[in-house]
Amino acid sequence: MKPSLPANFLWGNSVSSMQTEGAWNEGGKGMSVYDIREPKEFASDWKVATDSYHRYEEDFDLMKDLGMNCYRFQIAWSRVCPTGDGEFNEEGIAFYDRFIDALIERGIEPMICLYHFDMPLAMAEKYNGFTDRRVMDAFIRYGKKVIDSFGDKVTWWLTFNEQNLYHMPETFLISGYMRGDKTLRELYEIQHHVMMAHAHLTNYLHDTKPGKLMGGMLAHAQVYPATCKPRDVFCVQQLDEFFNQNLLRAFAGEGYSPEVMHFVKQSGFDDIYREEDLAVLASMKNDYMAFSYYASRTLNSDAIPEGTAVNNYMLFGDTPNPHLKATEWNWQIDPLGFRSIITRYYNDWRLPVFPIENGIGVIESWDGEHIIEDDYRIAYHRDHINAMKAAIFEDGAQVIGYLGWGLIDILSSQGDMRKRYGVVYVNRENHDLKDLKRVPKKSYEWLKKAIHSNGEEM
């Protein structure tokens, strides 16, 4: 039998407010970019989500029953500051104060994430999101307000969800970008402004709330070369440097990657990186390394056109791995990749590692009577938790905890309620809210045993 995990190990759940809260026009909340998105055949609007604004105590009771002792959630910028840079909404701040207290009362550590893609609409319309430094400044102001409000009772902090997504073409979907040609220069403006907001708020937390911990978070997919051909291997190495190591180096206090900064200079983008910015970045170091992990990917360099920027490699070179099974969404299941990332993070940076999103999204339905037999979800979490345990007990990695993604069903990142991650079913569909009843699945009891045994009962 494998050993159980440390007694202070954190087990829990991660969510974003746009995918859970609802109450889009209640409590003084301002409009966000998600509030104007129209529903589609396979996508809901975002107005109700799973109604956690009104039902969070019910959800927290389920988490407590499972044995969870950590919950990572996002503060909605537009609920705290409706226009993004105007007056703060005391009703919204009071809501999160009650929310945090309800977690603490149940023995669940709150982890605050300050941004998960839902830019206040006013900021997006006025400034085109994080392309403009004024949005960076407004975000820093908002972040300081949240730290001032909750920093005395919240230990665990993140600024941006999956921060390396701002280094990828996805940045134009998540940064409040509303107009333009989606140029490479704009991509680098966005990623730098996001990093500078992170650096300023990391230093502010450390200066004003000693003992509180700020992490840097990546969306980390292990990428393999399609073959042992040297160019496949080299392109994967480049991709890792631009998407992952560039930020990890900065999080660890080393500043940006020399390779990335050389590309910036060659491209004529170096004016984006002000001298005073780089000085702030050099003064920052995070307390832990966090990441999300769902699947691995494979890169075929032959498909990448000559002259393609590294940031766009996966638009052309992404190819299926014949050695791995995939979900309905073609995400390839790879627990060994999870272990590899954990071990490398700790080997390279000697900072505690915290995987804070992991799960499997599957189309599921409930007949209103029988339990959902989700053995595939049990297998997924079992194999990934065991891979994490191998990283700890066989590879020597220091790991803080394990947070699943959406362990109570929520809207997927595309707004598709069909894609379910939870061990608890939420009774709604994309265009039929039904009663939003919470219904534990078969995996609920399995996960409960796993958590209460601290990973021994697997």
Side-chain angles (χ1 to χ4, degrees), residues 295-411:
S296 62
R297 302 170 75 180
T298 304
L299 182 68
N300 174 14
S301 66
D302 289 343
I304 303 172
E306 190 70 28
T308 299
V310 176
N311 306 78
N312 295 324
Y313 275 5
M314 294 305 284
L315 292 177
F316 304 98
D318 199 4
T319 190
N321 188 331
H323 304 290
L324 295 173
K325 295 180 180 179
T327 69
E328 296 158 283
W329 308 95
N330 203 32
W331 290 21
Q332 297 198 277
I333 300 169
D334 182 13
L336 188 58
F338 188 48
R339 173 181 176 178
S340 177
I341 292 168
I342 293 170
T343 300
R344 185 179 176 192
Y345 272 33
Y346 193 65
N347 281 345
D348 286 356
W349 308 112
R350 314 295 172 88
L351 289 172
V353 184
F354 203 165
I356 59 173
E357 287 185 30
N358 180 238
I360 182 171
V362 179
I363 295 176
E364 294 170 322
S365 60
W366 179 52
D367 64 7
E369 182 179 355
H370 299 96
I371 192 169
I372 295 171
E373 302 275 351
D374 57 339
D375 294 285
Y376 42 83
R377 182 166 290 108
I378 293 171
Y380 182 95
H381 283 288
R382 180 196 65 223
D383 293 347
H384 283 77
I385 292 170
N386 278 331
M388 175 186 66
K389 290 176 69 176
I392 296 168
F393 294 112
E394 298 179 36
D395 304 340
Q398 182 180 339
V399 178
I400 294 168
Y402 174 89
L403 307 188
W405 173 253
L407 292 176
I408 296 174
D409 283 347
I410 62 177
L411 287 175

Side-chain angles (χ1 to χ4, degrees), residues 112 114 147 155-160 197-206 211-216 251 284-289:
I112 287 178
L114 292 172
I147 289 169
T155 297
W156 302 94
W157 292 80
L158 292 167
T159 52
F160 293 91
H198 172 81
H200 280 282
L201 289 172
T202 297
N203 287 345
Y204 186 77
L205 180 73
H206 289 158
K212 307 305 183 181
L213 306 174
M214 181 70 82
F251 292 154
M284 178 208 74
K285 185 174 181 179
N286 287 147
D287 301 297
Y288 61 96
M289 297 294 199

Side-chain angles (χ1 to χ4, degrees), residues 167-169 184 187-188 191 242-243 263 309-314:
H167 296 226
M168 306 177 195
L184 192 62
L187 185 150
Y188 275 83
Q191 70 172 43
F242 276 68
F243 280 5
F263 173 80
V310 176
N311 306 78
N312 295 324
Y313 275 5
M314 294 305 284

Side-chain angles (χ1 to χ4, degrees), residues 166-178:
Y166 300 94
H167 296 226
M168 306 177 195
E170 287 92 334
T171 189
F172 298 110
L173 299 173
I174 63 177
S175 62
Y177 187 92
M178 298 193 78

Side-chain angles (χ1 to χ4, degrees), residues 50 71 95 97 108 116 162 174 177 196 209 213 229 257-258 260 271 289 310 379 384-385 410 418 421 423 451:
T50 58
Y71 184 54
F95 166 74
D97 201 44
I108 301 172
H116 197 129
E162 299 181 325
I174 63 177
Y177 187 92
M196 290 315 304
K209 305 294 180 182
L213 306 174
K229 183 170 57 181
S257 160
V260 173
D271 60 301
M289 297 294 199
V310 176
H384 283 77
I385 292 170
I410 62 177
R418 297 177 307 152
Y421 286 88
V423 300
I451 293 175

